[in-house]
Amino acid sequence: LRKSAILSGKLLAIFVAGLAQAAILILFGQFVFGVNWGQAPMALVILVLALSFSLTSLGMLIAGIAKTYAQANALANILMYSIAALGGAWWPIEVTPEWMQQIAKITPTYWAMQGFNDIITRGLGVQAIVPEITILIIFGVLYLTIGVWRFRYE
């Protein structure tokens, strides 16, 4: 097999695992806690796909930058916790200072949370989240491009 095929297979496996985790969380939330995920299930699916692509690509970027497994693990933890908090996954972004709200816009988490709010809280559908989906895909393409460019096959 070519190295690109192996890398693609690993990325696809991580992407599918991320989708499976999201599906479990959504279904568990709905059936165990009674979470109402909105009236547009297709919007939810598309948003989860875009977010999974973006985060899988971020993982590729981390793998491309890190020199060792330990570095990759540490960088992944620091980045994931930071972008989750900064992007509004831990608390409503509206309660943070204005400067933090502006910085949050450079994280995929911010755009995903805006999309989730549109779907769940506001009851909107696919058309309303096109900007968020587009930005998540742009993040994903950017991360993936840099990550593949920087990745060292060993």
Side-chain angles (χ1 to χ4, degrees), residues 20-120:
Q21 288 175 351
I24 290 167
L25 288 171
I26 289 168
L27 293 172
F28 190 84
Q30 181 175 357
F31 294 115
V32 175
F33 295 116
V35 174
N36 179 356
W37 292 101
Q39 304 305 313
M42 186 53 67
L44 186 64
V45 168
I46 293 170
L47 184 61
V48 168
L49 285 168
L51 177 59
S52 294
F53 170 66
S54 179
L55 295 180
T56 299
S57 298
L58 180 57
M60 182 68 231
L61 176 61
I62 292 167
I65 292 172
K67 292 181 172 61
T68 66
Y69 177 78
Q71 260 186 358
N73 193 30
L75 186 55
N77 282 322
I78 291 168
L79 274 176
M80 291 302 167
Y81 288 124
S82 299
I83 66 171
L86 186 60
W90 289 1
W91 47 71
I93 196 70
E94 296 81 15
V95 303
T96 63
E98 181 62 32
W99 64 267
M100 193 172 177
Q101 293 178 37
Q102 295 306 312
I103 293 173
K105 293 178 182 177
I106 64 169
T107 69
T109 311
Y110 171 85
W111 297 99
M113 294 307 297
Q114 296 306 305
F116 285 124
N117 281 328
D118 284 345
I119 295 167
I120 299 163

